[in-house]
Amino acid sequence: MIRTSPHFIKPTPLQVVMLKVAGALLPGIAVYCYVFGAGILLQLLLATVTAIATEAACLKLRNYPVKPFITDGSAIVTAWLLALSLPPLSAWWMIVLATVIAIGLAKHLYGGLGQNPFNPAMIGFAVMIVSFPAQMGRWNAPLSLPNVDLNTWQQFGYILTGQLPQGMAFDTLASATPLDAVKTALMQSHAMSDILGGTIFQAGVFPSEMGWIAAAYLLGGLFLLQQRVIQWQLPVAFLAALAALSSVFYLLDPAHYTSPVFHLFSGAAMLGAFFIATDPVTAPTTPRGRLIYAALIGLLTWLIRTYGGYPDGVAFAVIIMNIAAPFIDQYTQPAVFGRKTASPAKKGT
Amino acid sequence: MAIISQEETRTIIHNSIWKQNAGLVQILGLCPVLVMSNNIVNGVSLGLATSLVMLISGAAVAAIREFIPNELRAPIFILIIAALVTMVDLLFNSYVHDLYIVLGIFIPLITTNCIVLARAEAFASKNGPLQSALDGFFMGLGLTGVLLVLGAMRELIGKGTLLSGIDLVFGPAAKSWIIHVIPAEYNYQFLLAILPPGAFIGLGFLIAGKLALDRRAEAKAKQQAVLAAQLAQASE
């Protein structure tokens, strides 16, 4: 009697992939909690619940089976990435709205999982920063700074009700993010050495405390690389392009340009390189295409950070390159084994 | 001049407003539709100005269609339309100057709006003046309808108001006509709807909505046809 073993049920691969991605985010989330407080946990919870509800509603409307798509975990990863991009103490409706837009508009209106041309989390983020620039700039200071701090329950309360404890104002706990601080100060033509002397930039190894979060994302990203969940071309080309470009300008004029270390360990660079640019749906599928795509994201990120109107450029860089991904794919097709012509796109002309 | 039958009138109106709607079906003249639909007042004003131009241009082109050499028709159509638009431009400037400043370049640009030339080419050059005037005007009204709904959607979602800017048309006294659906003291704002992406997303929803309505009507008609056939069979 020869039979394959029916008693061994393997979860669907996508579930495993998403589980690994979520797991790889955990060190980042842990450090985030340590730096900014536990408010982020509530944001993650709100995002998860909204994502599942929106996903279920959209699937139902489209007459799709709800259970297999809900349990694949892709919506939850989108929701987590979004929660990690918004300011940790932003009001509850912001993360809810952003998640509804990401799942409903950017994912399901385009045809659902695998069909969306744009990274849903980044569309959610872009909509929020375009629509609510003031609220999106309201970051609280890292807990280690001499600002007033909220405890966990006060943070949860502020997210849900918008009420601070008696006698507190948001300004006393607010602090610009490193990218924002540098951008604003440079515009007011402060000297770079003065700007980097500010309290948020005293964090030891890294340019700011957000560097520790970035390092934790890097750790998670390396795990994903080791597990072969993501392809090395994407993060390497992204970070290399960002580092190379910022190095050149930093070496030429350190008074006006920030260092490569600052660029790599501030803002969403690490999160973007390992978790966002690597989205298998919206990135190119050819190895050469991935290198070009990710390098251009790095370039655009640096350009937007340095000359653009927003402090960080990862989201817009990713969205712009998302739309170029099919084009890049077409022109970077590897030669079929045994054939000499490099790409079918060229052959046609 | 040919007299127009009631049946023909009804077909032209249905065709212009719904079946061949300029904004939702032909998707012509997108540029002004997307830019000027950020509130009801802008959208409807531009839509009515376009309707007026289309009404006269339809009649004018149809009246002289026998004399226009085929090779030269496009420049001649454009010349007629441009003359009419200049007239509308001056009218807006003198009677609703504040609104004229808001609409800005989009009034002169009615000349280049594809829907105006498209109707001159596709309808007015082949039909009588009365039919063409009717077609042009209702095509314009169909576009105005889209601008009205899109403008209302974007204004409501973007600012929580309706009819903002009405004072530009009817003078400062009309300021009290503005409807604050979300009370002004909340400072409600959702910029995305007011900005260009809101126009694209909103128009997408409107097109989808129209298709859904058409599909529903089609299914209903089919059902009724089946029912009628069954009835006929039963009575035999």
Side-chain angles (χ1 to χ4, degrees), chain A residues 320-346:
Chain A
I320 292 170
M321 290 314 296
N322 279 165
I323 202 62
F327 177 78
I328 295 173
D329 258 347
Q330 185 173 2
Y331 282 90
T332 53
Q333 292 292 328
V336 175
F337 183 71
R339 290 224 183 168
K340 275 188 179 165
T341 39
S343 99
K346 272 185 203 149

Side-chain angles (χ1 to χ4, degrees), chain A residues 97 101 105 109 127 130-133, chain B residues 189-193 195 197 201 205:
Chain A
L97 179 66
I101 286 169
L105 201 72
L109 274 191
V127 165
V130 167
S131 302
F132 307 102
Chain B
Q189 204 172 38
F190 185 45
L191 269 179
L192 187 84
L195 293 172
I201 297 169
F205 274 113

Side-chain angles (χ1 to χ4, degrees), chain A residues 231-234 237 284-294 328-329 332-334:
Chain A
Q231 294 77 29
W232 66 269
Q233 291 98 335
L234 292 161
T285 51
T286 63
R288 232 162 18 110
R290 286 188 185 124
L291 283 174
I292 298 170
Y293 166 85
I328 295 173
D329 258 347
T332 53
Q333 292 292 328

Side-chain angles (χ1 to χ4, degrees), chain B residues 140-159:
Chain B
L141 282 192
L143 190 71
T144 312
V146 175
L147 281 160
L148 170 79
V149 178
L150 192 56
M153 265 166 59
R154 288 178 67 191
E155 201 183 338
L156 192 63
I157 300 173
K159 286 195 295 189

Side-chain angles (χ1 to χ4, degrees), chain A residues 30-218:
Chain A
V31 179
Y32 199 121
C33 274
Y34 178 74
V35 173
F36 284 110
I40 184 66
L41 297 178
L42 182 60
Q43 303 280 7
L44 287 165
L45 180 71
L46 284 169
T48 309
V49 172
T50 316
I52 292 175
T54 316
E55 179 96 354
C58 288
L59 289 167
K60 202 137 204 166
L61 275 176
R62 300 176 60 212
N63 292 325
Y64 272 62
V66 173
K67 205 177 155 220
F69 283 101
I70 283 286
T71 47
D72 69 16
S74 62
I76 296 170
V77 168
T78 300
W80 283 22
L81 291 173
L82 205 44
L84 291 171
S85 319
L86 261 51
L89 292 189
S90 50
W92 64 270
W93 56 265
M94 288 182 65
I95 185 66
V96 169
L97 179 66
T99 314
V100 168
I101 286 169
I103 302 288
L105 201 72
K107 188 175 174 190
H108 278 286
L109 274 191
Y110 284 102
L113 185 66
Q115 308 293 325
N116 46 304
F118 301 106
N119 186 313
M122 289 303 98
I123 291 284
F125 177 83
V127 165
M128 295 314 278
I129 200 154
V130 167
S131 302
F132 307 102
Q135 288 94 328
M136 287 294 281
R138 284 162 69 99
W139 282 72
N140 56 323
L143 299 179
S144 64
L145 291 190
N147 292 51
V148 180
D149 292 326
L150 296 178
N151 65 32
T152 303
W153 296 115
Q154 286 168 332
Q155 285 201 344
F156 287 0
Y158 182 64
I159 293 168
L160 293 176
T161 63
Q163 300 287 318
L164 284 170
Q166 283 276 303
M168 271 195 206
F170 191 81
D171 286 349
T172 58
L173 35 123
S175 151
T177 62
L179 284 169
D180 210 0
V182 169
K183 176 154 230 146
T184 322
L186 277 180
M187 269 201 286
Q188 296 160 347
S189 45
H190 288 284
M192 187 62 90
S193 53
D194 289 352
I195 303 169
L196 296 182
T199 48
I200 52 166
F201 298 105
Q202 309 300 318
V205 201
F206 295 112
S208 72
E209 278 205 68
M210 287 171 101
W212 289 102
I213 306 176
Y217 289 145
L218 173 64

Side-chain angles (χ1 to χ4, degrees), chain B residues 160-234:
Chain B
T161 61
L162 285 174
L163 294 175
S164 70
I166 191 90
D167 47 313
L168 299 179
V169 185
F170 296 105
K175 207 146 203 168
S176 59
W177 300 1
I178 300 173
I179 305 163
H180 288 276
V181 179
I182 295 167
E185 62 265 23
Y186 283 104
N187 275 329
Y188 171 83
Q189 204 172 38
F190 185 45
L191 269 179
L192 187 84
I194 304 276
L195 293 172
F200 280 101
I201 297 169
L203 188 67
F205 274 113
L206 286 186
I207 294 172
K210 187 200 178 274
L211 284 175
L213 283 178
D214 278 349
R215 222 169 271 174
R216 189 175 289 179
E218 210 173 291
K220 212 171 167 186
K222 209 178 265 173
Q223 213 174 11
Q224 269 170 352
V226 170
L227 218 67
Q230 278 173 346
L231 271 175
Q233 230 167 24

